[in-house]
Amino acid sequence: MNYNLLEEIGIGSFDLSYLFIGAYAMILILLIIAVVQTVRLGKLSKRYKKFMSGKNAKSLEQDIESIFEDNKFIKSSTEKNRKDIQALYRKFEGAFQKVGIVKYDAFSQMGGQLSFSLALLDENDNGFILNCVHSTEGCYSYTKEVKKGICEISLGDEEKKALDIAMDITDVTLGD
């Protein structure tokens, strides 16, 4: 078979069966692509229907707006809570947080360890030591100021132990 058109464009000896095979292959590839795209579109359509089920566009928009409003509220609440926590931290810095107590017998004739030394310190190791001495004549109380863990007045053994306990110094021995 000789076609004049093919001879005019310079491919008169070209076998048309190759052209048809190529066209069929191209049609088959396009058909496969169309099927894959149809399946993808079906999946997307199912997801869209599930997303939109029971909702119209207006109510969905309202839901999204309410989520943004909730998000703004949560952010402002978080900021307020952060400020409140900082204020509480500043207030509690000066509160007594560390306690050390040592009970002892002030006099050998007294029993029951009725005397004691109590150290109360804040976060910065500022505070006081209260020493209560119990004797047969009565009970006497003394205080000593502590600044940054140091007392300018000399401390007795029990007072020093109470201060060490409050400051959490580990080599404290409570026994005599």
Side-chain angles (χ1 to χ4, degrees):
M1 259 196 218
N2 242 347
Y3 293 102
N4 292 335
L5 178 64
L6 294 177
E7 285 179 16
E8 287 180 18
I9 58 173
I11 54 171
S13 63
F14 183 73
D15 189 8
L16 288 179
S17 60
Y18 293 123
L19 181 63
F20 287 126
I21 291 173
Y24 286 137
M26 206 51 137
I27 290 172
L28 185 62
I29 290 171
L30 290 175
L31 185 62
I32 291 171
I33 290 173
V35 168
V36 168
Q37 292 301 330
T38 303
V39 169
R40 284 185 178 175
L41 183 62
K43 288 180 181 178
L44 184 61
S45 178
K46 285 180 185 177
R47 288 174 59 197
Y48 177 76
K49 285 179 183 176
K50 184 177 178 181
F51 180 71
M52 295 299 286
S53 65
K55 301 281 184 181
N56 58 27
K58 188 66 175 170
S59 65
L60 185 60
E61 182 181 347
Q62 290 170 350
D63 289 346
I64 291 171
E65 285 177 358
S66 71
I67 289 171
F68 279 114
E69 290 300 319
D70 290 346
N71 192 20
K72 286 179 186 177
F73 174 74
I74 289 171
K75 282 182 180 180
S76 67
S77 294
T78 302
E79 182 62 25
K80 182 186 178 307
N81 289 344
R82 187 184 64 77
K83 288 179 182 178
D84 289 346
I85 289 170
Q86 286 178 344
L88 288 172
Y89 181 75
R90 282 191 302 273
K91 286 180 181 178
F92 284 123
E93 247 181 358
F96 294 125
Q97 301 174 14
K98 302 174 185 179
V99 177
I101 188 166
V102 175
K103 292 179 73 175
Y104 64 96
D105 286 325
F107 303 101
S108 58
Q109 73 271 18
M110 299 290 295
Q113 293 186 336
L114 299 175
S115 301
F116 66 90
S117 290
L118 173 68
L120 294 173
L121 304 174
D122 65 7
E123 183 178 290
N124 300 314
D125 292 333
N126 297 321
F128 64 91
I129 298 173
L130 174 66
N131 191 15
C132 292
V133 179
H134 186 75
S135 70
T136 55
E137 293 88 31
C139 183
Y140 303 95
S141 299
Y142 306 95
T143 59
K144 296 179 181 177
E145 185 177 16
V146 177
K147 291 183 180 178
K148 296 183 182 178
I150 299 172
C151 183
E152 293 182 6
I153 302 171
S154 64
L155 298 175
D157 291 340
E158 294 82 8
E159 293 169 327
K160 177 69 174 136
K161 285 179 187 177
L163 183 61
D164 289 346
I165 291 169
M167 291 176 34
D168 198 24
I169 297 175
T170 56
D171 61 349
V172 175
T173 55
L174 296 176
D176 288 341

